Amino acid sequence: MKYAEVLLSFAAPKANYTADSIKRMLGGEEKQIDFQNQIPVHVTYQTAFVDPSGKPQFRDDVYGLDAKLMSILKGSERQVADVAIERPADPNFKPTPEQGQRLRSVAGGGGGGSPFGLFDRLFR
């Protein structure tokens, strides 16, 4: 009820919905609530995820979307994103001492064999 109350306070602020008024709406016939303010909704479909203990979890692809996504990721259109674009160096760029040290350590280190070594060094 609290979730509905908060959601409706954004979507229809002039209606002054409360948990009690929402409870009274439940059951019986369908009710239409017109939102003065639209609320964006993003729906995701994931067949692989990491659970709270850090263990990877995999589920069946009941909608058959994984194959479509993989074909897009491996398709010829992806090659466009793999082409490096040559850009001239910014003559005004002057790294701070900390940035300079970080750039030197990234350039000089191999990452210890980890595929994430570069990111470990950039974001430590």
Side-chain angles (χ1 to χ4, degrees):
M1 290 299 120
K2 185 66 177 174
Y3 178 75
E5 183 179 357
V6 170
L7 182 69
L8 289 170
S9 73
F10 291 113
K14 295 177 184 172
N16 296 320
Y17 286 103
T18 65
D20 288 335
S21 66
I22 295 166
K23 282 181 190 174
R24 288 192 298 273
M25 293 171 55
L26 298 177
E29 62 191 55
E30 189 174 302
K31 308 261 191 282
Q32 178 173 325
I33 300 173
D34 295 320
F35 289 1
Q36 291 89 25
N37 302 312
Q38 297 300 312
I39 300 200
V41 175
H42 301 276
V43 179
T44 63
Y45 172 74
Q46 300 173 2
T47 56
F49 61 95
V50 178
D51 69 18
S53 69
K55 183 179 175 187
Q57 297 288 324
F58 301 93
R59 300 293 185 261
D60 291 336
D61 181 18
V62 296
Y63 296 110
L65 298 177
D66 284 351
K68 184 177 180 180
L69 178 61
M70 288 308 293
S71 70
I72 291 169
L73 290 173
K74 292 181 177 183
S76 61
E77 292 179 19
R78 180 178 178 263
Q79 294 174 359
V80 174
D82 291 341
V83 177
I85 298 172
E86 196 68 36
R87 295 200 172 130
D90 180 356
N92 299 317
F93 175 71
K94 299 202 181 356
T96 65
E98 181 183 292
Q99 290 170 327
Q101 177 59 38
R102 184 176 290 171
L103 289 169
R104 283 188 294 280
S105 71
V106 169
S114 165
F116 302 105
L118 172 65
F119 292 102
D120 289 339
R121 289 172 176 267
L122 286 173
F123 300 108
R124 62 177 143 163

Short mmCIF file of all heavy atoms in Angstrom, two decimals, residues 33-103:
data_model
loop_
_atom_site.label_atom_id
_atom_site.label_comp_id
_atom_site.label_asym_id
_atom_site.label_seq_id
_atom_site.Cartn_x
_atom_site.Cartn_y
_atom_site.Cartn_z
N ILE A 33 -7.32 5.13 -13.14
CA ILE A 33 -6.70 6.31 -12.53
C ILE A 33 -5.91 7.02 -13.63
O ILE A 33 -5.01 6.46 -14.23
CB ILE A 33 -5.74 5.91 -11.38
CG1 ILE A 33 -6.50 5.16 -10.31
CG2 ILE A 33 -5.05 7.14 -10.82
CD1 ILE A 33 -5.62 4.59 -9.23
N ASP A 34 -6.29 8.24 -13.91
CA ASP A 34 -5.60 9.03 -14.92
C ASP A 34 -4.44 9.79 -14.27
O ASP A 34 -4.65 10.54 -13.32
CB ASP A 34 -6.57 10.01 -15.59
CG ASP A 34 -7.66 9.30 -16.37
OD1 ASP A 34 -7.34 8.29 -17.02
OD2 ASP A 34 -8.82 9.74 -16.31
N PHE A 35 -3.24 9.54 -14.78
CA PHE A 35 -2.05 10.19 -14.24
C PHE A 35 -1.87 11.57 -14.88
O PHE A 35 -1.87 11.69 -16.09
CB PHE A 35 -0.79 9.37 -14.54
CG PHE A 35 -0.69 8.08 -13.77
CD1 PHE A 35 -1.66 7.67 -12.88
CD2 PHE A 35 0.41 7.27 -13.94
CE1 PHE A 35 -1.54 6.48 -12.17
CE2 PHE A 35 0.54 6.08 -13.25
CZ PHE A 35 -0.43 5.69 -12.37
N GLN A 36 -1.71 12.59 -14.06
CA GLN A 36 -1.34 13.90 -14.58
C GLN A 36 0.13 13.90 -15.01
O GLN A 36 0.52 14.57 -15.94
CB GLN A 36 -1.55 15.01 -13.55
CG GLN A 36 -3.00 15.31 -13.21
CD GLN A 36 -3.52 14.46 -12.05
OE1 GLN A 36 -2.77 14.00 -11.22
NE2 GLN A 36 -4.82 14.23 -12.03
N ASN A 37 0.94 13.15 -14.28
CA ASN A 37 2.37 13.04 -14.57
C ASN A 37 2.68 11.60 -14.97
O ASN A 37 2.39 10.68 -14.21
CB ASN A 37 3.20 13.41 -13.33
CG ASN A 37 2.90 14.81 -12.85
OD1 ASN A 37 2.87 15.74 -13.64
ND2 ASN A 37 2.65 14.96 -11.57
N GLN A 38 3.26 11.45 -16.14
CA GLN A 38 3.62 10.11 -16.60
C GLN A 38 4.82 9.59 -15.81
O GLN A 38 5.71 10.36 -15.45
CB GLN A 38 3.95 10.14 -18.10
CG GLN A 38 2.77 10.54 -18.96
CD GLN A 38 1.58 9.60 -18.81
OE1 GLN A 38 1.72 8.39 -18.87
NE2 GLN A 38 0.41 10.16 -18.59
N ILE A 39 4.83 8.29 -15.58
CA ILE A 39 5.94 7.66 -14.87
C ILE A 39 6.56 6.65 -15.82
O ILE A 39 5.88 5.72 -16.26
CB ILE A 39 5.45 6.95 -13.59
CG1 ILE A 39 4.82 8.00 -12.69
CG2 ILE A 39 6.56 6.16 -12.95
CD1 ILE A 39 4.70 7.69 -11.26
N PRO A 40 7.84 6.86 -16.18
CA PRO A 40 8.47 5.91 -17.12
C PRO A 40 8.66 4.55 -16.46
O PRO A 40 8.98 4.46 -15.27
CB PRO A 40 9.82 6.56 -17.44
CG PRO A 40 10.07 7.51 -16.33
CD PRO A 40 8.74 7.92 -15.77
N VAL A 41 8.44 3.51 -17.24
CA VAL A 41 8.59 2.13 -16.76
C VAL A 41 9.57 1.44 -17.70
O VAL A 41 9.40 1.48 -18.92
CB VAL A 41 7.25 1.38 -16.76
CG1 VAL A 41 7.44 -0.07 -16.37
CG2 VAL A 41 6.26 2.07 -15.84
N HIS A 42 10.59 0.84 -17.14
CA HIS A 42 11.58 0.11 -17.92
C HIS A 42 11.49 -1.37 -17.54
O HIS A 42 11.73 -1.72 -16.39
CB HIS A 42 12.99 0.64 -17.65
CG HIS A 42 13.13 2.09 -17.97
ND1 HIS A 42 13.40 2.53 -19.24
CD2 HIS A 42 12.99 3.19 -17.20
CE1 HIS A 42 13.43 3.85 -19.23
NE2 HIS A 42 13.19 4.28 -18.01
N VAL A 43 11.12 -2.20 -18.49
CA VAL A 43 10.98 -3.62 -18.25
C VAL A 43 12.23 -4.32 -18.79
O VAL A 43 12.64 -4.09 -19.93
CB VAL A 43 9.72 -4.18 -18.95
CG1 VAL A 43 9.59 -5.67 -18.72
CG2 VAL A 43 8.48 -3.45 -18.45
N THR A 44 12.85 -5.14 -17.96
CA THR A 44 14.01 -5.90 -18.42
C THR A 44 13.70 -7.38 -18.38
O THR A 44 12.83 -7.83 -17.62
CB THR A 44 15.25 -5.63 -17.54
OG1 THR A 44 14.99 -6.09 -16.21
CG2 THR A 44 15.61 -4.16 -17.52
N TYR A 45 14.39 -8.13 -19.21
CA TYR A 45 14.24 -9.58 -19.28
C TYR A 45 15.63 -10.16 -19.17
O TYR A 45 16.48 -9.94 -20.04
CB TYR A 45 13.58 -9.94 -20.62
CG TYR A 45 13.53 -11.42 -20.92
CD1 TYR A 45 12.64 -12.24 -20.25
CD2 TYR A 45 14.35 -11.98 -21.89
CE1 TYR A 45 12.56 -13.58 -20.54
CE2 TYR A 45 14.29 -13.32 -22.18
CZ TYR A 45 13.40 -14.12 -21.51
OH TYR A 45 13.32 -15.47 -21.79
N GLN A 46 15.91 -10.84 -18.08
CA GLN A 46 17.25 -11.36 -17.84
C GLN A 46 17.19 -12.85 -17.56
O GLN A 46 16.46 -13.30 -16.69
CB GLN A 46 17.89 -10.63 -16.66
CG GLN A 46 18.00 -9.15 -16.89
CD GLN A 46 18.48 -8.41 -15.66
OE1 GLN A 46 18.77 -9.00 -14.62
NE2 GLN A 46 18.58 -7.11 -15.75
N THR A 47 18.00 -13.60 -18.32
CA THR A 47 18.07 -15.04 -18.09
C THR A 47 19.33 -15.41 -17.31
O THR A 47 19.49 -16.56 -16.92
CB THR A 47 18.06 -15.80 -19.43
OG1 THR A 47 19.14 -15.34 -20.25
CG2 THR A 47 16.73 -15.58 -20.14
N ALA A 48 20.21 -14.46 -17.10
CA ALA A 48 21.41 -14.69 -16.30
C ALA A 48 21.58 -13.50 -15.37
O ALA A 48 21.40 -12.36 -15.77
CB ALA A 48 22.63 -14.84 -17.20
N PHE A 49 21.91 -13.79 -14.12
CA PHE A 49 22.12 -12.73 -13.15
C PHE A 49 22.97 -13.26 -12.01
O PHE A 49 23.22 -14.46 -11.92
CB PHE A 49 20.77 -12.20 -12.61
CG PHE A 49 19.94 -13.24 -11.91
CD1 PHE A 49 20.00 -13.39 -10.54
CD2 PHE A 49 19.10 -14.07 -12.64
CE1 PHE A 49 19.23 -14.35 -9.89
CE2 PHE A 49 18.33 -15.03 -12.00
CZ PHE A 49 18.40 -15.18 -10.63
N VAL A 50 23.43 -12.38 -11.17
CA VAL A 50 24.23 -12.77 -10.00
C VAL A 50 23.34 -12.60 -8.78
O VAL A 50 22.77 -11.53 -8.55
CB VAL A 50 25.50 -11.92 -9.90
CG1 VAL A 50 26.29 -12.29 -8.65
CG2 VAL A 50 26.35 -12.08 -11.15
N ASP A 51 23.21 -13.66 -7.98
CA ASP A 51 22.36 -13.58 -6.79
C ASP A 51 23.08 -12.80 -5.68
O ASP A 51 24.26 -12.46 -5.82
CB ASP A 51 21.90 -14.97 -6.34
CG ASP A 51 23.02 -15.85 -5.79
OD1 ASP A 51 24.09 -15.34 -5.41
OD2 ASP A 51 22.82 -17.07 -5.72
N PRO A 52 22.37 -12.49 -4.59
CA PRO A 52 22.98 -11.68 -3.52
C PRO A 52 24.25 -12.28 -2.91
O PRO A 52 25.09 -11.56 -2.38
CB PRO A 52 21.86 -11.59 -2.47
CG PRO A 52 20.60 -11.72 -3.27
CD PRO A 52 20.94 -12.70 -4.36
N SER A 53 24.42 -13.61 -3.03
CA SER A 53 25.64 -14.22 -2.48
C SER A 53 26.79 -14.19 -3.48
O SER A 53 27.88 -14.67 -3.17
CB SER A 53 25.36 -15.67 -2.06
OG SER A 53 25.12 -16.48 -3.21
N GLY A 54 26.55 -13.61 -4.68
CA GLY A 54 27.60 -13.50 -5.67
C GLY A 54 27.68 -14.67 -6.63
O GLY A 54 28.59 -14.75 -7.45
N LYS A 55 26.74 -15.60 -6.55
CA LYS A 55 26.76 -16.79 -7.41
C LYS A 55 25.95 -16.53 -8.69
O LYS A 55 24.82 -16.06 -8.63
CB LYS A 55 26.14 -17.98 -6.66
CG LYS A 55 26.18 -19.26 -7.42
CD LYS A 55 25.58 -20.40 -6.62
CE LYS A 55 25.53 -21.66 -7.46
NZ LYS A 55 24.81 -22.73 -6.78
N PRO A 56 26.55 -16.84 -9.86
CA PRO A 56 25.80 -16.66 -11.11
C PRO A 56 24.59 -17.59 -11.16
O PRO A 56 24.67 -18.75 -10.76
CB PRO A 56 26.80 -17.04 -12.21
CG PRO A 56 28.13 -17.09 -11.55
CD PRO A 56 27.90 -17.33 -10.10
N GLN A 57 23.49 -17.08 -11.64
CA GLN A 57 22.25 -17.85 -11.78
C GLN A 57 21.82 -17.78 -13.25
O GLN A 57 21.89 -16.72 -13.86
CB GLN A 57 21.14 -17.28 -10.90
CG GLN A 57 21.42 -17.33 -9.43
CD GLN A 57 21.36 -18.75 -8.89
OE1 GLN A 57 20.54 -19.56 -9.32
NE2 GLN A 57 22.22 -19.05 -7.93
N PHE A 58 21.35 -18.90 -13.79
CA PHE A 58 20.88 -18.95 -15.17
C PHE A 58 19.48 -19.53 -15.20
O PHE A 58 19.19 -20.49 -14.49
CB PHE A 58 21.83 -19.81 -16.01
CG PHE A 58 23.24 -19.29 -16.02
CD1 PHE A 58 24.18 -19.76 -15.11
CD2 PHE A 58 23.62 -18.32 -16.92
CE1 PHE A 58 25.48 -19.26 -15.10
CE2 PHE A 58 24.91 -17.81 -16.92
CZ PHE A 58 25.84 -18.29 -16.00
N ARG A 59 18.62 -18.95 -16.01
CA ARG A 59 17.24 -19.41 -16.15
C ARG A 59 16.96 -19.72 -17.61
O ARG A 59 17.63 -19.22 -18.51
CB ARG A 59 16.25 -18.34 -15.65
CG ARG A 59 16.43 -17.97 -14.19
CD ARG A 59 16.08 -19.15 -13.29
NE ARG A 59 16.13 -18.81 -11.89
CZ ARG A 59 17.14 -19.06 -11.08
NH1 ARG A 59 18.23 -19.63 -11.54
NH2 ARG A 59 17.08 -18.74 -9.80
N ASP A 60 15.94 -20.53 -17.85
CA ASP A 60 15.54 -20.84 -19.21
C ASP A 60 15.08 -19.57 -19.92
O ASP A 60 14.47 -18.69 -19.32
CB ASP A 60 14.39 -21.86 -19.23
CG ASP A 60 14.84 -23.24 -18.77
OD1 ASP A 60 16.05 -23.53 -18.87
OD2 ASP A 60 13.98 -24.00 -18.32
N ASP A 61 15.38 -19.50 -21.21
CA ASP A 61 14.98 -18.35 -22.04
C ASP A 61 13.58 -18.63 -22.58
O ASP A 61 13.41 -19.01 -23.73
CB ASP A 61 15.99 -18.16 -23.16
CG ASP A 61 15.68 -16.99 -24.06
OD1 ASP A 61 14.89 -16.12 -23.66
OD2 ASP A 61 16.22 -16.96 -25.18
N VAL A 62 12.58 -18.43 -21.74
CA VAL A 62 11.21 -18.83 -22.10
C VAL A 62 10.63 -18.02 -23.27
O VAL A 62 9.72 -18.48 -23.95
CB VAL A 62 10.24 -18.73 -20.89
CG1 VAL A 62 10.66 -19.73 -19.81
CG2 VAL A 62 10.19 -17.32 -20.32
N TYR A 63 11.15 -16.83 -23.52
CA TYR A 63 10.65 -16.01 -24.63
C TYR A 63 11.54 -16.13 -25.88
O TYR A 63 11.25 -15.51 -26.90
CB TYR A 63 10.54 -14.54 -24.21
CG TYR A 63 9.53 -14.34 -23.12
CD1 TYR A 63 9.93 -13.99 -21.84
CD2 TYR A 63 8.17 -14.50 -23.36
CE1 TYR A 63 9.01 -13.82 -20.83
CE2 TYR A 63 7.24 -14.33 -22.35
CZ TYR A 63 7.67 -13.97 -21.10
OH TYR A 63 6.75 -13.80 -20.09
N GLY A 64 12.64 -16.86 -25.78
CA GLY A 64 13.51 -17.03 -26.94
C GLY A 64 14.22 -15.76 -27.38
O GLY A 64 14.51 -15.60 -28.56
N LEU A 65 14.51 -14.89 -26.46
CA LEU A 65 15.14 -13.61 -26.82
C LEU A 65 16.67 -13.66 -26.78
O LEU A 65 17.33 -12.82 -27.40
CB LEU A 65 14.63 -12.50 -25.90
CG LEU A 65 13.13 -12.22 -25.98
CD1 LEU A 65 12.74 -11.15 -24.97
CD2 LEU A 65 12.73 -11.81 -27.38
N ASP A 66 17.24 -14.61 -26.06
CA ASP A 66 18.70 -14.67 -25.96
C ASP A 66 19.35 -14.90 -27.33
O ASP A 66 20.34 -14.25 -27.67
CB ASP A 66 19.15 -15.77 -25.00
CG ASP A 66 18.97 -15.39 -23.54
OD1 ASP A 66 18.65 -14.21 -23.27
OD2 ASP A 66 19.13 -16.26 -22.68
N ALA A 67 18.78 -15.80 -28.14
CA ALA A 67 19.35 -16.07 -29.45
C ALA A 67 19.31 -14.83 -30.33
O ALA A 67 20.27 -14.53 -31.06
CB ALA A 67 18.61 -17.23 -30.12
N LYS A 68 18.22 -14.09 -30.27
CA LYS A 68 18.10 -12.87 -31.06
C LYS A 68 19.15 -11.85 -30.62
O LYS A 68 19.81 -11.22 -31.44
CB LYS A 68 16.69 -12.30 -30.91
CG LYS A 68 16.43 -11.08 -31.74
CD LYS A 68 14.98 -10.64 -31.59
CE LYS A 68 14.69 -9.41 -32.42
NZ LYS A 68 13.32 -8.95 -32.30
N LEU A 69 19.32 -11.69 -29.31
CA LEU A 69 20.31 -10.75 -28.79
C LEU A 69 21.72 -11.17 -29.20
O LEU A 69 22.53 -10.34 -29.61
CB LEU A 69 20.20 -10.65 -27.27
CG LEU A 69 21.20 -9.74 -26.58
CD1 LEU A 69 21.05 -8.30 -27.07
CD2 LEU A 69 21.03 -9.80 -25.09
N MET A 70 22.02 -12.46 -29.09
CA MET A 70 23.36 -12.93 -29.47
C MET A 70 23.63 -12.70 -30.94
O MET A 70 24.75 -12.34 -31.32
CB MET A 70 23.52 -14.42 -29.12
CG MET A 70 23.63 -14.68 -27.61
SD MET A 70 24.91 -13.69 -26.78
CE MET A 70 26.38 -14.36 -27.50
N SER A 71 22.63 -12.88 -31.79
CA SER A 71 22.85 -12.65 -33.22
C SER A 71 23.12 -11.17 -33.48
O SER A 71 23.91 -10.82 -34.35
CB SER A 71 21.66 -13.14 -34.05
OG SER A 71 20.53 -12.32 -33.85
N ILE A 72 22.49 -10.29 -32.72
CA ILE A 72 22.75 -8.86 -32.86
C ILE A 72 24.17 -8.55 -32.39
O ILE A 72 24.91 -7.83 -33.05
CB ILE A 72 21.71 -8.03 -32.07
CG1 ILE A 72 20.34 -8.15 -32.73
CG2 ILE A 72 22.15 -6.57 -31.96
CD1 ILE A 72 19.20 -7.60 -31.88
N LEU A 73 24.56 -9.10 -31.24
CA LEU A 73 25.88 -8.83 -30.69
C LEU A 73 27.00 -9.37 -31.57
O LEU A 73 28.08 -8.79 -31.65
CB LEU A 73 26.01 -9.42 -29.28
CG LEU A 73 25.19 -8.74 -28.20
CD1 LEU A 73 25.28 -9.52 -26.89
CD2 LEU A 73 25.65 -7.32 -27.99
N LYS A 74 26.74 -10.50 -32.25
CA LYS A 74 27.77 -11.11 -33.09
C LYS A 74 27.62 -10.75 -34.56
O LYS A 74 28.43 -11.15 -35.37
CB LYS A 74 27.72 -12.63 -32.93
CG LYS A 74 28.14 -13.09 -31.56
CD LYS A 74 28.11 -14.59 -31.45
CE LYS A 74 28.60 -15.03 -30.08
NZ LYS A 74 28.65 -16.48 -29.96
N GLY A 75 26.62 -9.97 -34.90
CA GLY A 75 26.34 -9.63 -36.29
C GLY A 75 27.32 -8.63 -36.87
O GLY A 75 28.16 -8.04 -36.18
N SER A 76 27.19 -8.40 -38.16
CA SER A 76 28.12 -7.52 -38.87
C SER A 76 27.97 -6.06 -38.44
O SER A 76 28.92 -5.29 -38.54
CB SER A 76 27.90 -7.64 -40.38
OG SER A 76 26.58 -7.26 -40.71
N GLU A 77 26.80 -5.67 -37.98
CA GLU A 77 26.61 -4.28 -37.56
C GLU A 77 27.48 -3.93 -36.36
O GLU A 77 27.87 -2.79 -36.18
CB GLU A 77 25.14 -4.01 -37.23
CG GLU A 77 24.26 -4.06 -38.45
CD GLU A 77 22.80 -3.81 -38.12
OE1 GLU A 77 22.53 -3.26 -37.04
OE2 GLU A 77 21.95 -4.16 -38.94
N ARG A 78 27.78 -4.93 -35.53
CA ARG A 78 28.60 -4.69 -34.34
C ARG A 78 30.00 -4.26 -34.72
O ARG A 78 30.65 -3.51 -33.99
CB ARG A 78 28.66 -5.95 -33.49
CG ARG A 78 29.50 -5.78 -32.24
CD ARG A 78 29.47 -7.06 -31.42
NE ARG A 78 30.30 -6.90 -30.27
CZ ARG A 78 31.56 -7.32 -30.18
NH1 ARG A 78 32.12 -7.93 -31.19
NH2 ARG A 78 32.27 -7.13 -29.10
N GLN A 79 30.48 -4.70 -35.86
CA GLN A 79 31.85 -4.38 -36.27
C GLN A 79 32.08 -2.88 -36.35
O GLN A 79 33.19 -2.41 -36.15
CB GLN A 79 32.16 -5.04 -37.61
CG GLN A 79 32.20 -6.55 -37.52
CD GLN A 79 32.37 -7.22 -38.86
OE1 GLN A 79 32.45 -6.54 -39.88
NE2 GLN A 79 32.43 -8.52 -38.88
N VAL A 80 31.05 -2.12 -36.63
CA VAL A 80 31.20 -0.68 -36.70
C VAL A 80 31.67 -0.13 -35.36
O VAL A 80 32.51 0.76 -35.30
CB VAL A 80 29.86 -0.02 -37.13
CG1 VAL A 80 29.96 1.49 -37.08
CG2 VAL A 80 29.47 -0.49 -38.52
N ALA A 81 31.16 -0.68 -34.27
CA ALA A 81 31.53 -0.20 -32.95
C ALA A 81 32.93 -0.66 -32.55
O ALA A 81 33.52 -0.12 -31.63
CB ALA A 81 30.52 -0.69 -31.91
N ASP A 82 33.48 -1.67 -33.25
CA ASP A 82 34.79 -2.18 -32.91
C ASP A 82 35.93 -1.43 -33.59
O ASP A 82 37.08 -1.71 -33.35
CB ASP A 82 34.88 -3.67 -33.30
CG ASP A 82 34.01 -4.53 -32.41
OD1 ASP A 82 33.63 -4.07 -31.32
OD2 ASP A 82 33.70 -5.66 -32.80
N VAL A 83 35.62 -0.47 -34.46
CA VAL A 83 36.65 0.26 -35.18
C VAL A 83 37.06 1.48 -34.37
O VAL A 83 36.24 2.33 -34.04
CB VAL A 83 36.13 0.69 -36.58
CG1 VAL A 83 37.17 1.51 -37.31
CG2 VAL A 83 35.72 -0.52 -37.39
N ALA A 84 38.34 1.55 -34.05
CA ALA A 84 38.84 2.69 -33.28
C ALA A 84 38.84 3.93 -34.16
O ALA A 84 39.09 3.86 -35.36
CB ALA A 84 40.26 2.41 -32.80
N ILE A 85 38.53 5.06 -33.57
CA ILE A 85 38.52 6.33 -34.29
C ILE A 85 39.75 7.11 -33.86
O ILE A 85 39.96 7.35 -32.67
CB ILE A 85 37.24 7.13 -33.99
CG1 ILE A 85 36.02 6.35 -34.46
CG2 ILE A 85 37.30 8.49 -34.65
CD1 ILE A 85 34.71 6.98 -34.03
N GLU A 86 40.55 7.48 -34.83
CA GLU A 86 41.76 8.25 -34.54
C GLU A 86 41.36 9.68 -34.20
O GLU A 86 40.64 10.34 -34.94
CB GLU A 86 42.66 8.23 -35.78
CG GLU A 86 44.08 8.65 -35.52
CD GLU A 86 44.84 7.66 -34.66
OE1 GLU A 86 44.64 6.45 -34.78
OE2 GLU A 86 45.64 8.14 -33.83
N ARG A 87 41.81 10.16 -33.06
CA ARG A 87 41.49 11.52 -32.64
C ARG A 87 42.78 12.21 -32.22
O ARG A 87 43.62 11.61 -31.54
CB ARG A 87 40.52 11.51 -31.46
CG ARG A 87 39.20 10.92 -31.85
CD ARG A 87 38.13 11.35 -30.88
NE ARG A 87 36.85 10.91 -31.42
CZ ARG A 87 35.95 10.24 -30.74
NH1 ARG A 87 36.14 9.97 -29.48
NH2 ARG A 87 34.83 9.88 -31.31
N PRO A 88 42.91 13.47 -32.58
CA PRO A 88 44.13 14.18 -32.16
C PRO A 88 44.11 14.41 -30.65
O PRO A 88 43.06 14.53 -30.03
CB PRO A 88 44.04 15.52 -32.92
CG PRO A 88 42.59 15.67 -33.26
CD PRO A 88 42.01 14.29 -33.37
N ALA A 89 45.29 14.43 -30.08
CA ALA A 89 45.40 14.68 -28.65
C ALA A 89 44.93 16.09 -28.34
O ALA A 89 45.12 17.01 -29.13
CB ALA A 89 46.85 14.50 -28.21
N ASP A 90 44.32 16.25 -27.18
CA ASP A 90 43.85 17.57 -26.75
C ASP A 90 45.06 18.36 -26.23
O ASP A 90 45.66 18.00 -25.21
CB ASP A 90 42.81 17.40 -25.64
CG ASP A 90 42.26 18.73 -25.13
OD1 ASP A 90 42.74 19.79 -25.56
OD2 ASP A 90 41.35 18.69 -24.29
N PRO A 91 45.44 19.43 -26.92
CA PRO A 91 46.63 20.18 -26.49
C PRO A 91 46.43 20.88 -25.15
O PRO A 91 47.40 21.26 -24.51
CB PRO A 91 46.83 21.21 -27.62
CG PRO A 91 45.48 21.36 -28.24
CD PRO A 91 44.79 20.03 -28.09
N ASN A 92 45.20 21.02 -24.70
CA ASN A 92 44.93 21.69 -23.42
C ASN A 92 44.86 20.74 -22.23
O ASN A 92 44.69 21.17 -21.11
CB ASN A 92 43.62 22.49 -23.52
CG ASN A 92 43.69 23.55 -24.58
OD1 ASN A 92 44.69 24.25 -24.70
ND2 ASN A 92 42.65 23.66 -25.38
N PHE A 93 44.96 19.41 -22.50
CA PHE A 93 44.84 18.43 -21.41
C PHE A 93 46.10 18.44 -20.56
O PHE A 93 47.20 18.24 -21.07
CB PHE A 93 44.59 17.03 -21.96
CG PHE A 93 44.57 15.98 -20.89
CD1 PHE A 93 43.52 15.90 -19.99
CD2 PHE A 93 45.61 15.08 -20.77
CE1 PHE A 93 43.50 14.94 -19.00
CE2 PHE A 93 45.60 14.11 -19.79
CZ PHE A 93 44.54 14.04 -18.90
N LYS A 94 45.92 18.69 -19.28
CA LYS A 94 47.03 18.65 -18.33
C LYS A 94 46.55 17.85 -17.12
O LYS A 94 45.77 18.36 -16.31
CB LYS A 94 47.44 20.06 -17.93
CG LYS A 94 47.90 20.89 -19.13
CD LYS A 94 48.77 22.03 -18.71
CE LYS A 94 49.23 22.89 -19.84
NZ LYS A 94 48.95 22.58 -21.17
N PRO A 95 47.00 16.58 -17.01
CA PRO A 95 46.52 15.76 -15.89
C PRO A 95 47.01 16.28 -14.56
O PRO A 95 48.09 16.87 -14.45
CB PRO A 95 47.11 14.38 -16.19
CG PRO A 95 48.29 14.65 -17.06
CD PRO A 95 47.97 15.89 -17.84
N THR A 96 46.18 16.09 -13.54
CA THR A 96 46.61 16.40 -12.18
C THR A 96 47.70 15.40 -11.81
O THR A 96 47.86 14.37 -12.47
CB THR A 96 45.43 16.25 -11.20
OG1 THR A 96 45.02 14.87 -11.18
CG2 THR A 96 44.25 17.14 -11.59
N PRO A 97 48.46 15.64 -10.76
CA PRO A 97 49.48 14.66 -10.36
C PRO A 97 48.90 13.27 -10.13
O PRO A 97 49.50 12.27 -10.52
CB PRO A 97 50.05 15.26 -9.08
CG PRO A 97 49.86 16.74 -9.23
CD PRO A 97 48.55 16.87 -9.97
N GLU A 98 47.71 13.21 -9.53
CA GLU A 98 47.08 11.90 -9.29
C GLU A 98 46.72 11.22 -10.61
O GLU A 98 46.96 10.03 -10.79
CB GLU A 98 45.82 12.07 -8.43
CG GLU A 98 45.13 10.76 -8.13
CD GLU A 98 43.85 10.96 -7.34
OE1 GLU A 98 43.95 11.37 -6.16
OE2 GLU A 98 42.78 10.72 -7.91
N GLN A 99 46.14 11.97 -11.55
CA GLN A 99 45.79 11.41 -12.85
C GLN A 99 47.04 10.95 -13.59
O GLN A 99 47.06 9.90 -14.22
CB GLN A 99 45.02 12.43 -13.70
CG GLN A 99 43.64 12.71 -13.22
CD GLN A 99 43.02 13.91 -13.95
OE1 GLN A 99 43.71 14.85 -14.31
NE2 GLN A 99 41.71 13.86 -14.13
N GLY A 100 48.11 11.75 -13.52
CA GLY A 100 49.36 11.38 -14.17
C GLY A 100 49.90 10.07 -13.62
O GLY A 100 50.34 9.21 -14.38
N GLN A 101 49.88 9.91 -12.31
CA GLN A 101 50.34 8.67 -11.69
C GLN A 101 49.49 7.49 -12.13
O GLN A 101 50.00 6.43 -12.46
CB GLN A 101 50.32 8.79 -10.16
CG GLN A 101 50.72 7.52 -9.44
CD GLN A 101 52.12 7.06 -9.80
OE1 GLN A 101 53.03 7.86 -9.97
NE2 GLN A 101 52.30 5.76 -9.95
N ARG A 102 48.18 7.69 -12.16
CA ARG A 102 47.27 6.63 -12.59
C ARG A 102 47.52 6.25 -14.04
O ARG A 102 47.59 5.07 -14.39
CB ARG A 102 45.82 7.06 -12.40
CG ARG A 102 44.83 5.97 -12.73
CD ARG A 102 43.42 6.36 -12.45
NE ARG A 102 43.20 6.46 -11.02
CZ ARG A 102 42.12 6.95 -10.46
NH1 ARG A 102 41.15 7.41 -11.21
NH2 ARG A 102 41.98 6.99 -9.17
N LEU A 103 47.71 7.23 -14.91
CA LEU A 103 47.98 6.96 -16.32
C LEU A 103 49.31 6.22 -16.48
O LEU A 103 49.40 5.28 -17.28
CB LEU A 103 48.00 8.26 -17.13
CG LEU A 103 46.65 8.94 -17.32
CD1 LEU A 103 46.85 10.34 -17.91
CD2 LEU A 103 45.73 8.12 -18.20
#
